[in-house]
Amino acid sequence: MFSPAAAAQDEVNEKGGFGRFAQLLLPLEYTNWVEENRAHVQSCYIGDWTSLNKVSVRGREALKFLAWAGMNDLSRFEIGQIRHHIQLDENGWIASEGVLYRLGEEEFVYTAGSCDWLCWQLSRGNWDVEIADISPETFIFGVQGPTSLPTLEKATGESLRDIGFNRTRPARIGGAPVRVLRTGISGELGYELHGSADDANEIWSAVVAAGEQFGIRRLGFRAQPVQHIEAGIATNGLDYLPAAIITPGAPRQFRRGSIGGSFVPAQGITDYFRKPGELGWGPRRIPPHDFLGRDALLAEPEPTRTLVGLTWNRTDVAEVLTSMLTGEELPEQMELPRRLGPSFDQVLFAGNPVGVSTGRTLSANLRATISLGVVDRRHAAPGTELIIIWGRPGTPQRRIRATVTELPFKPDNRRVDVTTL
């Protein structure tokens, strides 16, 4: 139920609160969510993503299978490279997506919110491939922010400036082997550490000690998902539901919790699904290789909706936040910095539905309430004013003005040239 680094984390979990990230309980806050939310912009943080599923994919046809299971072109997939692997169902809906990296000619690792869909697809075919679940034996720590590089260089005792964006190589921390991945979930310079669960406590503590002079903060679960919205990254299970959930290919996804927000699906569960083009993941031309869902993409025109940022009107948000201090009818309150679960809100233009808002969050970095939106393209121009319906059906709903904002909300610093730092 707890991270393999729980002993090191619990020493400083003074508030004693926990949040559920999939199957694990993580500290909600180490200091406070505002300070922790600002760390990836001001210095760096260390956060725990061990809850992500992880599988090893090996075999003579491993690359061929992965190319068929995902829409990404893997024809130039080099050893040590990282790819965003987007997996579709037969209808072209996103069924799963995550990070795929190549360790050898016939060896890969895939990490995602769930790997069930990939495993199920393998079981339905006749591939010379072996998949092994390495989740219980592997930790994933994120170290993100402008001082993440000097922190990890001090922890490893070596230069890491040879690791380009979306690249990975092995290193050691305190004698223990780790794999360093250069990623960018925060929209800033950042890395992931993958290693043996047996070494998790020691490595967590070593990174914290190395980062003290660089202002490192421990990132609690309460602030963990805020950075995704700031960076304009839609998250599986929060900003959309994967199509895998209506198949045997997702037996362990979303086992508890409910969907919040004002949006009422007209077509059923598929209203929560997304096509890759709606989230900005669709290529300009559909890759030529054969992959699951390709025929569905070819048969459809360009999506009519697109991903945008939404900046919520300060006055309208303040009226909801201060409603507890007035005698008016109480609307549904806003969890801060955001709801720890999926929430979908109806978006209107001139009184007509034009899309859905997700991930409403209060960003301490932007000093604003922001969200992602999948809206009709004709209303997606930056500066367009839309209306978001706040509050679940049956509650005293409020209309909140929101302005379409170009993504990401803050500068994208993921690909900074570290050789010049």
Side-chain angles (χ1 to χ4, degrees):
M1 291 184 66
F2 296 92
S3 166
Q9 294 168 356
D10 196 54
E11 291 179 356
V12 289
N13 183 16
E14 297 180 357
K15 297 184 178 181
F18 291 90
R20 181 178 292 275
F21 183 174
Q23 73 278 16
L24 297 184
L25 296 176
L26 299 178
L28 273 176
E29 295 176 285
Y30 291 98
T31 53
N32 64 78
W33 69 262
V34 175
E35 179 180 289
E36 293 165 20
N37 172 220
R38 302 190 72 189
H40 66 281
V41 173
Q42 296 183 330
S43 54
C44 72
Y45 68 68
I46 180 170
D48 198 330
W49 271 264
T50 302
S51 293
L52 294 176
N53 284 181
K54 319 154 196 79
V55 293
S56 170
V57 185
R58 301 182 180 184
R60 182 177 60 86
E61 293 186 306
L63 179 60
K64 183 179 179 180
F65 165 67
L66 290 167
W68 174 83
M71 65 176 286
N72 311 74
D73 183 2
L74 301 183
S75 61
R76 298 181 180 179
F77 195 10
E78 301 173 359
I79 295 173
Q81 194 171 15
I82 305 168
R83 291 291 186 89
H84 182 205
H85 201 242
I86 304 165
Q87 301 161 17
L88 310 180
D89 71 358
E90 293 85 349
N91 301 306
W93 299 111
I94 299 170
S96 182
E97 54 90 15
V99 169
L100 177 70
Y101 57 91
R102 189 171 192 175
L103 295 178
E105 288 296 329
E106 299 181 352
E107 184 178 2
F108 305 81
V109 172
Y110 176 64
T111 71
S114 170
C115 298
D116 295 334
W117 174 263
L118 188 68
C119 296
W120 185 53
Q121 292 302 329
L122 179 66
S123 72
R124 301 175 74 195
N126 185 25
W127 303 89
D128 185 7
V129 176
E130 293 182 357
I131 282 188
D133 185 358
I134 59 173
S135 302
E137 62 204 58
T138 309
F139 71 76
I140 297 180
F141 299 152
V143 184
Q144 300 271 323
T147 62
S148 58
L149 178 59
T151 292
L152 290 180
E153 287 186 327
K154 183 176 180 181
T156 60
E158 63 174 300
S159 172
L160 300 176
R161 299 174 190 234
D162 59 308
I163 306 177
F165 181 66
N166 275 342
R167 295 283 174 167
T168 175
R169 71 164 172 84
R172 302 185 75 86
I173 295 179
V178 296
R179 177 158 290 275
V180 182
L181 289 72
R182 184 173 168 189
T183 60
I185 59 170
S186 66
E188 302 290 338
L189 171 65
Y191 299 84
E192 289 183 15
L193 299 176
H194 295 202
S196 170
D198 294 337
D199 302 321
N201 280 303
E202 290 74 15
I203 290 174
W204 179 278
S205 298
V207 173
V208 170
E212 284 183 356
Q213 74 178 94
F214 305 111
I216 196 170
R217 295 290 182 267
R218 301 167 183 85
L219 182 68
F221 183 58
R222 188 174 179 185
Q224 200 169 24
V226 173
Q227 61 192 310
H228 299 163
I229 304 300
E230 294 175 342
I233 300 173
T235 302
N236 185 350
L238 293 178
D239 298 299
Y240 70 96
L241 299 186
I245 62 175
I246 59 175
T247 73
R252 292 184 293 275
Q253 279 195 305
F254 313 115
R255 291 174 292 176
R256 62 176 65 214
S258 59
I259 299 174
S262 62
F263 176 70
V264 178
Q267 306 297 324
I269 191 67
T270 59
D271 281 355
Y272 296 110
F273 297 170
R274 296 289 179 263
K275 298 294 176 71
E278 293 179 315
L279 299 182
W281 297 338
R284 290 199 176 107
R285 65 181 185 88
I286 297 175
H289 73 282
D290 181 34
F291 61 88
L292 182 61
R294 184 172 189 269
D295 290 344
L297 294 186
L298 286 172
E300 293 184 352
E302 185 177 2
T304 59
R305 302 191 304 178
T306 189
L307 185 72
V308 300
L310 295 172
T311 301
W312 296 36
N313 181 274
R314 284 182 169 85
T315 300
D316 296 350
V317 170
E319 288 180 356
V320 173
L321 295 177
T322 60
S323 61
M324 293 288 289
L325 305 177
T326 69
E328 299 178 3
E329 194 173 20
L330 285 175
E332 185 174 357
Q333 295 301 293
M334 293 181 176
E335 297 180 44
L336 299 180
R338 58 173 287 172
R339 187 176 190 267
L340 296 178
S343 187
F344 296 73
D345 293 310
Q346 184 69 68
V347 177
L348 307 176
F349 180 84
N352 298 312
V354 296
V356 181
S357 166
T358 61
R360 190 276 321 159
T361 187
L362 178 58
S363 167
N365 294 305
L366 301 172
R367 306 297 176 92
T369 300
I370 58 176
S371 68
L372 301 181
V374 172
V375 304
D376 293 347
R377 289 183 179 274
R378 62 183 183 276
H379 302 302
T384 302
E385 188 168 291
L386 303 174
I387 296 293
I388 297 173
I389 303 299
W390 172 256
R392 292 166 297 167
T395 67
Q397 294 179 326
R398 297 286 181 91
R399 290 177 172 244
I400 297 183
R401 290 165 290 175
T403 303
V404 174
T405 306
E406 186 175 358
L407 291 175
F409 283 100
K410 58 183 183 59
D412 184 351
N413 296 316
R414 294 175 296 171
R415 295 172 175 82
V416 62
D417 182 1
V418 295
T419 63
T420 64
L421 298 180

